[in-house]
Amino acid sequence: MISKKIEKALNEQIQMEGDASNKYLAMSLWCDQEGMEGAAEFFLGHSEEEKFHMMKLVKYIQDADGKAIIPAFAKPKNNYKNVEDVVKTAYTSEQKVTQSIYKLVSLSLTENDHQTHNFLQWYVSEQLEEEALMRKIIDKIKLIGGGPQSLYFIDEMLSAVHKEEESGAGEEVL
Ligand code: OFO
């Protein structure tokens, strides 16, 4: 059984993960509109991942005899300057999610809630992976260059990362 304080904080995290899913979906659509199909697939995959993160929280709250609430989600940003702007926005968003997870972990400790603390460790590892991935992509875009001639190669790279992720092998491409 989780405390009301923990339940509230976990429900806020549901909102954050759902918002992240919608942000990635909007990024996917923007990339598709710009003719970058590989990038669109990459962000669509991440949108689905974030939905999974959200649902994992929903299930946990219910399993822990709490009440999960599906909130209204924020309208995501739908326009970007370029693909580098998209990935940088994704990176900043992941950093905010990480900070939110850390706060939850701290709260679980002050509440002496070892079950929730244990549950949250999965998210701690996941955030490390996500931040590292976005940072590596930003570094690669810097190497490739952000000009219009580079878009094809950036798109190919994101498509390759997506395929690696789909195969379950992690982001070995980078
Ligand atoms: Fe679930 O926030 Fe990213 O991974």
Side-chain angles (χ1 to χ4, degrees):
M1 172 123 196
I2 46 173
S3 69
K4 282 289 157 201
K5 219 174 182 177
I6 292 278
E7 183 190 84
K8 184 173 178 286
L10 290 171
N11 269 306
E12 283 164 7
Q13 193 62 32
I14 285 180
Q15 168 127 41
M16 204 153 201
E17 302 292 343
D19 281 342
S21 177
N22 286 340
K23 276 183 207 168
Y24 281 131
L25 182 56
M27 287 173 185
S28 172
L29 294 178
W30 184 87
C31 291
D32 190 54
Q33 285 149 12
E34 294 293 310
M36 300 184 76
E37 284 170 20
E41 276 177 7
F42 170 80
F43 286 112
L44 184 60
H46 278 266
S47 171
E48 280 158 13
E49 253 190 52
E50 297 299 345
K51 190 168 179 203
F52 172 72
H53 298 174
M54 181 185 87
M55 291 309 297
K56 206 171 158 68
L57 281 156
V58 168
K59 184 174 184 324
Y60 177 72
I61 296 172
Q62 297 286 118
D63 284 352
D65 203 16
K67 188 176 173 192
I69 295 164
I70 304 304
F73 295 110
K75 184 180 177 188
K77 180 176 166 179
N78 284 296
N79 279 306
Y80 295 91
K81 279 190 275 196
N82 49 43
V83 69
E84 193 175 359
D85 181 30
V86 177
V87 185
K88 279 185 174 166
T89 304
Y91 182 46
T92 308
S93 174
E94 289 296 346
Q95 286 176 310
K96 283 186 190 147
V97 173
T98 302
Q99 289 312 311
S100 177
I101 295 290
Y102 287 177
K103 270 194 200 159
L104 262 172
V105 172
S106 300
L107 180 67
S108 70
L109 287 174
T110 56
E111 290 282 296
N112 211 16
D113 183 343
H114 295 284
Q115 207 167 44
T116 300
H117 182 265
N118 183 47
F119 167 73
L120 290 170
Q121 296 313 301
W122 183 89
Y123 287 85
V124 172
S125 306
E126 180 68 17
Q127 283 312 119
L128 174 66
E129 270 180 34
E130 292 295 290
E131 279 197 33
L133 174 64
M134 294 305 166
R135 216 172 40 245
K136 283 181 194 170
I137 292 172
I138 292 169
D139 289 346
K140 286 278 186 248
I141 292 177
K142 279 186 195 143
L143 281 178
I144 297 170
Q149 297 88 343
S150 314
L151 292 180
Y152 173 80
F153 296 103
I154 295 170
D155 194 44
E156 287 287 297
M157 169 187 65
L158 289 172
S159 173
V161 173
H162 173 68
K163 284 189 183 114
E164 282 287 335
E165 288 181 323
E166 286 284 279
S167 73
E171 52 275 0
E172 294 301 315
V173 173
L174 298 178

